[in-house]
């Protein structure tokens, strides 16, 4: 089973391959915040520390939202990704919109 590591907490969660990150966050105590859950508000922008290749590909809609919020390289919308392998993410508020 893939592992999701959430920083700065250091929480490690085993997830089912293909699990939506938003659902994993709902089921476990994480620091991820969600607003619209539709990929347009930017509330859930997070930084991928490792394993970006183990997330679902960026859709055109997600890319547009990330561009609108001037997201840095390596940032994704947590509400839009599915986990297919081990991944580490950073949800500390200070890490958002920083390279």
């Amino acid at each position: 089973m893939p592992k999701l590591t959430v920083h700065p907490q250091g929480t490690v969660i085993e997830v089912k391959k293909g699990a939506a990150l938003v659902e994993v966050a709902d089921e476990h105590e994480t620091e991820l915040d969600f607003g619209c859950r539709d990929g347009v508000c930017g509330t859930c922008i997070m930084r991928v520390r490792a394993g970006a290749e183990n997330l679902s590909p960026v859709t055109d809609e997600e890319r547009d939202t990330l561009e609108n919020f001037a997201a840095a390289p390596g940032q994704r919308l947590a509400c839009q990704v599915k986990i297919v392998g081990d991944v580490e993410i950073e949800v500390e508020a200070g890490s958002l919109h920083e390279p």
Side-chain angles (χ1 to χ4, degrees):
M1 290 183 83
K3 289 182 177 70
L4 167 67
T5 304
V6 183
H7 296 281
Q9 297 168 277
T11 304
V12 178
I13 304 166
E14 284 193 354
V15 300
K16 188 169 99 176
K17 187 174 183 177
L21 182 51
V22 67
E23 292 172 6
V24 172
D26 282 347
E27 293 171 6
H28 298 85
E29 197 169 315
T30 70
E31 293 179 359
L32 278 166
D33 289 325
F34 296 94
C36 69
R37 296 174 182 252
D38 291 322
V40 295
C41 74
T43 301
C44 65
I45 294 175
M46 50 127 192
R47 184 170 65 94
V48 181
R49 290 177 65 169
E53 69 278 5
N54 293 323
L55 295 175
S56 55
V58 178
T59 64
D60 290 339
E61 293 81 11
E62 181 183 2
R63 185 175 296 106
D64 289 346
T65 300
L66 291 168
E67 288 174 4
N68 287 339
F69 285 94
Q75 291 185 318
R76 296 284 307 267
L77 297 176
C79 71
Q80 297 299 297
V81 301
K82 294 190 180 189
I83 303 165
V84 296
D86 293 350
V87 65
E88 293 186 32
I89 63 171
E90 179 81 41
V91 297
E92 183 176 19
S95 70
L96 298 182
H97 302 290
E98 294 177 8

